[in-house]
Amino acid sequence: QVQLVESGGGLVQAGGSLRLSCAASGRTLSSYAMGWFRQAPGKEREFVATIRWSSGRTHYADSVKGRFTISRDNAKNTVYLQMNSLKPEDTAVYYCAASDAGLPSTLGSSYHTWGQGTQVTVST
């Protein structure tokens, strides 16, 4: 059973950058797909980015394409979300998720393990 712990959230001004980390323990992720999702107050959870661990293939939501980058570090068993040019509408709790099916997906239901979330707040 894999466990996920996110870190790196915080308060940043619009136009700034943050890097979120998601450290996995309990199992290596070589056969997994990893995703980042976010949920703003009063809104439904939405897909942000996903990566297939084995190939590094990525996919992004249109709202973050060109600004966010998902990546992974095999040695550290960690997935990252580099967020640049942040906007106030990026404010949300960001969640890391893992799928042992190994296929990247934009659907939250495809992921069986979730982290506790980390708050990102972008001020104007």
Side-chain angles (χ1 to χ4, degrees), residues 28-41:
T28 57
L29 300 176
S30 57
S31 63
Y32 279 59
M34 302 296 293
W36 284 99
F37 292 76
R38 65 187 182 187
Q39 187 165 20

Side-chain angles (χ1 to χ4, degrees), residues 5-116:
V5 177
E6 300 103 330
S7 62
L11 174 64
V12 64
Q13 287 188 329
S17 299
L18 282 174
R19 188 178 79 158
L20 305 183
S21 300
C22 174
S25 61
R27 188 162 296 187
T28 57
L29 300 176
S30 57
S31 63
Y32 279 59
M34 302 296 293
W36 284 99
F37 292 76
R38 65 187 182 187
Q39 187 165 20
K43 295 187 176 181
E44 293 187 352
R45 181 180 61 195
E46 65 172 354
F47 165 76
V48 175
T50 184
I51 186 168
R52 186 170 188 171
W53 196 278
S54 58
S55 65
R57 181 177 179 179
T58 59
H59 179 69
Y60 299 91
D62 288 344
S63 59
V64 306
K65 199 172 294 183
R67 300 188 298 122
F68 290 11
T69 302
I70 187 171
S71 63
R72 85 277 194 240
D73 185 320
N74 290 330
K76 296 182 178 180
N77 220 33
T78 298
V79 64
Y80 302 98
L81 185 69
Q82 177 67 44
M83 305 185 295
N84 298 327
S85 301
L86 282 160
K87 305 175 182 180
E89 51 264 43
D90 294 318
T91 295
V93 177
Y94 283 70
Y95 297 92
C96 173
S99 168
D100 60 3
L103 298 176
S105 173
T106 63
L107 301 176
S109 58
S110 298
Y111 298 84
H112 65 282
T113 300
W114 293 78
Q116 83 287 354

